[in-house]
Amino acid sequence: MGSAPMSAHEKERLKALSDYRISDADTGLLELTRLAAYICDMPIALISLIDADRLWFRYRVGLDILQTPRKSSFCDRTIKQPELLEVEDTAKDPRFRNNPLVKHRPHIHFYAGVPLLTPSGHAIGSLCVMAPEPNRLTASQRHALKTLADQVMTHLELIKAGEELKRATGQVEQEQARKARFLANMSHGFSAPISGLTTALQQLESEPQGSNARQHIRDALLASRHLTQIVDDIFDYSRIESNDLQLDCRPMELDNLLRKLAALLSSQVGDKPLDLWFDIDPDVPELLIADELRLSQVLLHLGENAVKFTEHGRVVIKISNLGREQERIKLHFEVIDTGIGISPEQQHRVFEAFRQGDGMIRKRFGGTGLGLAISRELVNIMGGELEFKSEYGLGARFYFTLHLAIPEEEVADEQDADAETKSPRVLIVSKSEVGRRIISNLCHTLGWSTDLANSGAAALSACEQETAFDAILIDTPTLTRQDQVLLQHLETLPVEQRPVCVSFSRRYNPQLGQSELPDAELTKPIVPSILAERFNQIAQARQTGPDAIPTLNDALHNDSPLAGVRLLLVEDNRVNATVATLLLETEGAQVIWKRNGEEAYRFFTDEAEPVDIVLMDLEMPVMDGFSATENIRHDRQWDKIPIVALGIKSNEEIRARCLDAGMQDCLDKPFDSAKLVHAILGQLKRR
């Protein structure tokens, strides 16, 4: 007869066999083989293992053959049954007449074998004894052979457990090494900004009034923001590791997200010849349902990385509309830079926590090594996958796609879009083809029609040949002295006949206003709504008369963005209240401070003049922020006053409590001034 039929679980059996790494030098298994031969009084004893095609004699007594075909073998039959297989005379058994060990040397006539069963029940081989003459085992010998087979499997399990322990130990050692590197990075990461903060404050204390105080304050703020980001990264990573991070999806304005990103990223460019751009498809909706905090966190991490590793050229944050499915939209997010790129050796480690390229990159650029790991996990939680492409020396592109819901009001607004008034006609002046395309996209987002010019001379020619443009947008960093002919021509025109002239620069220019043109300067990256606001302000002022036309600087750097805002600050910590009041008053707000929730509530019941917005600490003596807000909301006359909570690392549960109490938003302390100002302006805008 042929070989036994193949087991239905053969793949699982072979997988179980591969899990055991057996060395030919294992003396324990060899001694068990010898003991089987001795107890059964047989000249030959074997421990055999069976793969898909062959039988391997791993431990042998009385036989010098290493392997034999599986077909028609004794062991192949043995593993098909749960108990001992005994063949007293192979010459009389037709199942084994073609077995090579029967037909040829050593001419086996007796066989007894027990299957080697894994804990999961898979037979991977056998322990057997053989003889060249017919024979028969006694009952005690059969029992002993079964017991020895169990001991063989126990020994194999110990070997397997030892190998797994080695692997686990290696993984633990690798993890410990990673954490050691992380702690070293943290030590350096904390010490550098703390040192800078201390030095700046010491200098500020010792400098005479009116000297370099403002620069020292900027240095101290920069260092404190760096410290805050490190703490935020560690906190977020720990929450991700413990599966404690939940999304807070709600209607959000894309414009609000872009304004925050613009404020935070533009301040990091410094003196680099680097252009920051937002490249947004015109058909990307303004309103989306998403976790604005986490989406902006991912884009900020990717944007900061791109700025950090790009010395010149450009960094582009691109959002593309890939289509709709009913009330959901498929948006593709990209962060593209022309920086140093990622070497092939480092690419497989990009998303590992606590890693940041090689040692030279860490020393040169700093950082915790957590940003990309956190970003990947956040994108996964949002339903996407963060990927990248990079060629060393030629920049990098990080990208992901999300399916986001669209609020009903956004759909209704789009249906009414055709009723809008005539759109402005705009001339875009940039020597950069990328710049012209991105600015044109930006204008189309606003519904503006565009003409393009690649130089000042070309723009001048367009102005002379065409009817008047409503606005001219100038990409200042790409132009040269020869391109000033355009501004010189515009200055000769009567003010009321001039197009609105807006320049785009790489960094804020506090000297703006000393020359007649441009009418406004915006710092890259350009946010469409800010451009529209500037255009409308200047155009409306010109209708009043030339004397009413202002020269406007960037809204992101406006000296008093909160001018005229009356604000109630509820904070029990005097130092925190003093710092917050100084920050808010610097931005133009009028601040009223109350020390706890009860004082805040009494302010509403006793004061005749209401406030525009409330910043409410959550944990306070006497009455906390939750109770104070609930009490304030009991009176319908105060329903429209926005209340923003101030908490320390507020999780989703805390945020939900804030909303239930009647608050509109929740900001984490310590807060960045730009984020706070944007949050306040955003709430006032909704009001």
Side-chain angles (χ1 to χ4, degrees):
M1 292 179 63
S3 62
M6 189 70 73
S7 168
H9 301 290
E10 181 65 6
K11 288 185 179 180
E12 289 85 349
R13 189 194 73 80
L14 293 174
K15 173 62 173 63
L17 174 64
S18 67
D19 290 340
Y20 295 92
R21 300 181 180 276
I22 304 171
S23 168
D24 291 335
D26 191 302
T27 57
L29 291 175
L30 181 58
E31 288 303 318
L32 288 172
T33 308
R34 288 172 177 165
L35 190 57
Y38 175 76
I39 292 174
C40 295
D41 193 21
M42 294 289 165
I44 300 173
L46 306 170
I47 292 178
S48 63
L49 301 175
I50 303 176
D51 65 16
D53 303 306
R54 303 198 67 77
L55 185 68
W56 299 88
F57 303 137
R58 297 305 302 266
Y59 293 92
R60 308 174 301 281
V61 173
L63 188 68
D64 57 2
I65 300 173
L66 299 180
Q67 58 172 303
T68 187
R70 179 176 176 176
K71 184 179 180 180
S72 300
S73 69
F74 294 107
C75 290
D76 187 40
R77 287 286 179 178
T78 301
I79 66 171
K80 302 300 192 301
Q81 58 186 56
E83 298 296 331
L84 178 145
L85 172 65
E86 184 175 3
V87 183
E88 297 179 4
D89 188 351
T90 60
K92 297 179 181 179
D93 194 325
R95 294 176 299 174
F96 304 107
R97 64 168 54 123
N98 293 323
N99 188 303
L101 299 181
V102 174
K103 294 176 63 176
H104 308 290
R105 193 178 64 84
H107 301 288
I108 298 300
H109 277 261
F110 172 80
Y111 171 86
V114 180
L116 300 176
L117 296 175
T118 68
S120 59
H122 294 104
I124 60 173
S126 68
L127 171 65
C128 60
V129 292
M130 294 182 285
E133 301 89 14
N135 209 326
R136 185 177 185 180
L137 296 180
T138 65
S140 60
Q141 286 175 328
R142 294 190 188 98
H143 178 75
L145 192 60
K146 293 177 182 178
T147 302
L148 289 174
D150 291 339
Q151 290 301 311
V152 169
M153 281 310 306
T154 299
H155 195 88
L156 290 175
E157 284 295 314
L158 287 173
I159 294 173
K160 179 182 176 182
E163 291 294 326
E164 291 174 349
L165 181 60
K166 286 180 182 179
R167 287 194 295 271
T169 301
Q171 291 172 354
V172 169
E173 289 174 350
Q174 290 179 1
E175 186 65 21
Q176 292 294 339
R178 287 175 61 201
K179 290 184 177 179
R181 289 193 300 270
F182 168 69
L183 291 175
N185 289 347
M186 287 300 98
S187 176
H188 180 270
F190 277 114
S191 63
I194 288 174
S195 175
L197 184 60
T198 303
T199 302
L201 294 175
Q202 287 174 342
Q203 288 294 110
L204 185 60
E205 182 182 38
S206 61
E207 291 277 358
Q209 188 174 6
S211 55
N212 296 317
R214 184 172 291 276
Q215 184 58 47
H216 294 322
I217 291 173
R218 289 196 191 101
D219 293 340
L221 285 172
L222 185 62
S224 66
R225 287 170 184 158
H226 187 190
L227 279 173
T228 301
Q229 183 173 359
I230 292 174
V231 173
D232 286 345
D233 282 351
I234 297 172
F235 184 76
D236 284 338
Y237 188 74
S238 68
R239 292 177 66 186
I240 290 171
E241 286 280 277
S242 59
N243 295 318
D244 189 36
L245 195 149
Q246 303 294 324
L247 295 180
D248 180 21
C249 294
R250 63 176 80 174
M252 55 157 278
E253 295 179 6
L254 182 62
D255 175 73
N256 192 44
L257 183 148
L258 294 178
R259 287 183 180 233
K260 291 177 182 177
L261 283 178
L264 294 170
L265 290 176
S266 62
S267 64
Q268 300 186 24
V269 174
D271 295 328
K272 292 181 180 180
L274 179 63
D275 289 315
L276 285 175
W277 292 108
F278 288 150
D279 188 4
I280 315 298
D281 271 3
D283 56 352
V284 171
E286 170 57 25
L287 287 178
L288 300 165
I289 295 179
D291 189 326
E292 181 178 350
L293 173 66
R294 298 307 175 187
L295 180 56
S296 63
Q297 186 177 354
V298 171
L299 294 175
L300 182 60
H301 269 310
L302 297 179
E304 287 177 333
N305 250 27
V307 171
K308 182 190 299 184
F309 294 109
T310 305
E311 291 301 320
H312 55 83
R314 62 182 174 270
V315 171
V316 180
I317 295 180
K318 182 176 175 62
I319 306 178
S320 305
N321 182 350
L322 301 186
R324 294 194 179 189
E325 298 175 0
Q326 296 180 346
E327 295 183 358
R328 300 186 73 83
I329 188 168
K330 186 177 182 182
L331 295 183
H332 188 63
F333 298 83
E334 298 175 83
V335 178
I336 308 162
D337 66 66
T338 57
I340 63 174
I342 306 168
S343 68
E345 296 78 17
Q346 297 296 332
Q347 290 193 7
H348 69 285
R349 300 179 177 179
V350 161
F351 294 120
E352 290 185 16
F354 315 126
R355 287 192 180 274
Q356 192 191 52
D358 55 32
M360 291 301 295
I361 287 179
R362 274 196 306 274
K363 290 178 182 179
R364 181 180 176 188
F365 295 103
T368 64
L370 284 176
L372 288 178
I374 291 171
S375 297
R376 181 184 63 172
E377 294 302 324
L378 289 177
V379 171
N380 286 344
I381 294 171
M382 289 187 285
E385 181 180 2
L386 180 58
E387 301 176 271
F388 75 96
K389 291 182 180 179
S390 177
E391 188 172 345
Y392 191 58
L394 297 178
R397 180 171 70 95
F398 285 80
Y399 56 94
F400 60 95
T401 301
L402 299 178
H403 292 79
L404 301 177
I406 307 171
E408 293 181 4
E409 55 264 37
E410 173 67 24
V411 177
D413 288 346
E414 290 182 3
Q415 292 172 349
D416 296 337
D418 293 338
E420 294 182 359
T421 58
K422 179 180 177 295
S423 65
R425 185 179 180 189
V426 177
L427 177 63
I428 297 168
V429 189
S430 175
K431 288 190 175 180
S432 164
E433 182 179 352
V434 173
R436 292 194 299 274
R437 180 186 61 79
I438 291 176
I439 299 172
S440 182
N441 254 0
L442 182 153
C443 292
H444 294 159
T445 299
L446 298 170
W448 297 357
S449 60
T450 60
D451 288 60
L452 307 179
N454 61 8
S455 68
L460 178 59
S461 176
C463 289
E464 291 173 342
Q465 294 177 15
E466 301 289 338
T467 57
F469 292 100
D470 297 294
I472 297 180
L473 309 181
I474 303 174
D475 186 11
T476 306
T478 68
L479 303 184
T480 62
R481 288 182 180 272
Q482 286 72 25
D483 297 298
Q484 295 300 316
V485 294
L486 174 62
L487 292 180
Q488 293 167 4
H489 166 73
L490 294 175
E491 288 176 349
T492 65
L493 299 176
V495 174
E496 62 274 11
Q497 296 179 15
R498 263 185 220 157
V500 173
C501 185
V502 181
S503 69
F504 299 161
S505 63
R506 288 173 175 154
R507 59 192 58 85
Y508 172 54
N509 178 16
Q511 303 301 320
L512 183 66
Q514 295 181 359
S515 59
E516 190 174 352
L517 290 176
D519 298 300
E521 179 188 55
L522 298 181
T523 304
K524 298 176 182 179
I526 308 303
V527 179
S529 65
I530 294 178
L531 173 61
E533 288 170 4
R534 289 293 167 264
F535 171 79
N536 290 332
Q537 285 175 327
I538 298 170
Q540 289 170 9
R542 285 185 177 172
Q543 294 177 2
T544 305
D547 295 337
I549 300 173
T551 300
L552 300 169
N553 63 355
D554 193 336
L556 300 174
H557 300 277
N558 194 329
D559 289 336
S560 302
L562 299 182
V565 175
R566 193 164 187 259
L567 183 149
L568 176 63
L569 173 65
V570 189
E571 167 65 67
D572 63 309
N573 184 286
R574 183 187 62 80
V575 174
N576 287 348
T578 301
V579 172
T581 299
L582 177 62
L583 184 156
L584 292 164
E585 289 180 344
T586 301
E587 303 294 344
Q590 177 189 351
V591 180
I592 301 157
W593 173 40
K594 298 299 176 182
R595 281 182 284 266
N596 56 60
E598 184 177 323
E599 289 188 9
Y601 178 63
R602 286 207 308 267
F603 169 83
F604 273 90
T605 57
D606 299 343
E607 279 285 328
E609 186 178 356
V611 293
D612 299 300
I613 189 169
V614 180
L615 299 183
M616 180 78 72
D617 189 20
L618 295 179
E619 300 296 332
M620 294 178 290
V622 186
M623 182 186 290
D624 63 27
F626 300 108
S627 300
T629 301
E630 290 172 350
N631 287 338
I632 292 169
R633 293 304 187 210
H634 281 160
D635 194 321
R636 296 293 297 275
Q637 65 177 313
W638 302 322
D639 270 355
K640 301 299 183 182
I641 298 176
I643 301 178
V644 177
L646 303 177
I648 298 178
K649 301 304 170 198
S650 305
N651 57 27
E652 279 68 27
E653 181 181 352
I654 296 296
R655 292 176 184 275
R657 286 186 62 193
C658 292
L659 296 177
D660 290 342
M663 302 181 195
Q664 277 65 48
D665 201 355
C666 184
L667 294 179
D668 286 340
K669 294 190 293 187
F671 39 73
D672 180 273
S673 60
K675 289 182 180 179
L676 180 60
V677 169
H678 279 299
I680 293 172
L681 292 176
Q683 291 300 328
L684 295 176
K685 179 181 176 182
R686 292 187 183 96
R687 183 184 176 191

